[in-house]
Amino acid sequence: MTALCSASNALDVVSDSRRDAQSDCQSVVAALRDGATIELVAVIRIDDAGNIAWQPDGCMTEISDDWPDVLRVKNDNPSHGFLFKFDGFKKGRGIGWDTRLTTPLPGKLLKGFVSVTGKFPKVRSTDIRVGVLGEWGPWQPVEVDGSITSRVNVAGPSTALYTSIDSLNVMGKSKPLVAPNREEGSQPLASLAEYEVVAVDSQGQRHRRKGVGVWKDTQAPYFDLSKIDLSSFEFRLRPYTQWVEFKNVPLEAPVPDVEVGVTEL
């Protein structure tokens, strides 16, 4: 098994293939420029008869009690879970995922470990992209109906992202899903930035999402407004600065070689 680097700037990434001294198994780790690392620890096949797991090189492994639960949102029926471990990330630094993966709900993570899920029918391997996020931009006020009547001042590379959001799509009344709208045909926001939406009450207090639902095959936050005197919504964005790509991740064994690379944005 090999771990290969295919980055746009080779000085900004170290591709690591670490051999376990106790076995022939190897881990797959991407090292970022600042020393932080992202490791693909295991692939988990989700089955009603019981989940099983293997390392990226195909070595079978036990599902540890230290791993976070494989979580899913309503109407999702994933076939596989993927366990990652993050080391050396500074406070406030974030990660995100491509749109094919279902991310965990807030408060369900163990420190350093993240479990995500996806549906992959009739394929033996897949590519997984992990995004490294920059700083949050300012809060943009939005009317209750989702319209934007005045724009917040935004500096730097996030300016174009903020102006590309036409409105918020508010789906429902008492427990609405709320997601940003962009021009039809534009690049999906999920590949450019992470967003956060909050509900703001008449006293100016921000209320975070109650959970996550699915809208047009994409996750969107939902809010329980039954006890909130809603005055407005707000959203903020933070762009991706790097993408780490794990290629040929095995969905069954025997497996192909896994490649890992980092792209600077």
Side-chain angles (χ1 to χ4, degrees):
M1 197 282 298
T2 58
L4 304 177
C5 170
S6 55
S8 62
N9 186 339
L11 296 177
D12 294 331
V13 58
V14 176
S15 172
D16 193 5
S17 176
R18 302 175 182 174
R19 181 171 295 279
D20 187 339
Q22 304 299 318
S23 70
D24 290 332
C25 299
Q26 292 176 297
S27 59
V28 177
V29 183
L32 306 182
R33 179 173 50 184
D34 62 358
T37 60
I38 302 176
E39 178 182 357
L40 175 57
V41 178
V43 180
I44 306 163
R45 188 171 70 196
I46 302 171
D47 194 299
D48 291 338
N51 298 342
I52 61 172
W54 54 86
Q55 295 176 214
D57 66 347
C59 287
M60 302 304 294
T61 185
E62 296 290 330
I63 297 178
S64 171
D65 291 338
D66 293 334
W67 294 3
D69 292 336
V70 176
L71 300 171
R72 65 198 75 182
V73 297
K74 187 177 180 181
N75 300 326
D76 185 27
N77 187 28
S79 61
H80 291 79
F82 305 92
L83 181 70
F84 289 87
K85 183 178 181 180
F86 297 84
D87 282 325
F89 276 69
K90 298 177 181 178
K91 184 178 180 181
R93 195 173 187 187
I95 56 169
W97 311 87
D98 63 25
T99 55
R100 296 174 302 127
L101 296 175
T102 295
T103 56
L105 302 181
K108 299 293 185 180
L109 305 182
L110 295 179
K111 185 178 181 179
F113 286 95
V114 175
S115 178
V116 296
T117 61
K119 186 183 295 185
F120 301 92
K122 300 179 180 179
V123 292
R124 296 188 62 193
S125 65
T126 190
D127 299 341
I128 297 177
R129 296 205 313 157
V130 184
V132 181
L133 291 155
E135 299 292 330
W136 282 109
W139 289 103
Q140 168 65 60
V142 182
E143 301 297 325
V144 172
D145 64 1
S147 62
I148 299 175
T149 57
S150 62
R151 293 283 180 175
V152 68
N153 291 325
V154 183
S158 295
T159 303
L161 280 174
Y162 271 79
T163 56
S164 73
I165 306 299
D166 297 325
S167 61
L168 291 182
N169 192 1
V170 182
M171 298 155 280
K173 294 184 178 180
S174 62
K175 294 185 178 181
L177 274 72
V178 184
N181 277 327
R182 301 184 76 217
E183 293 182 4
E184 187 174 351
S186 59
Q187 188 174 353
L189 180 62
S191 66
L192 300 172
E194 180 183 47
Y195 73 87
E196 182 180 13
V197 179
V198 294
V200 182
D201 64 25
S202 57
Q203 303 300 312
Q205 181 177 353
R206 295 187 176 107
H207 299 263
R208 299 190 182 279
R209 66 185 185 182
K210 184 71 173 180
V212 177
V214 175
W215 173 66
K216 292 186 177 180
D217 297 324
T218 302
Q219 287 189 116
Y222 77 86
F223 297 85
D224 185 353
L225 301 180
S226 60
K227 297 181 180 179
I228 300 175
D229 181 16
L230 183 65
S231 174
S232 64
F233 291 103
E234 292 180 351
F235 73 84
R236 61 178 180 171
L237 305 171
R238 58 175 173 175
Y240 289 108
T241 60
Q242 291 175 303
W243 280 101
V244 178
E245 186 166 26
F246 295 85
K247 294 186 176 182
N248 301 324
V249 176
L251 300 177
E252 58 183 63
V255 301
D257 287 348
V258 178
E259 302 176 10
V260 57
V262 178
T263 300
E264 288 281 346
L265 300 179

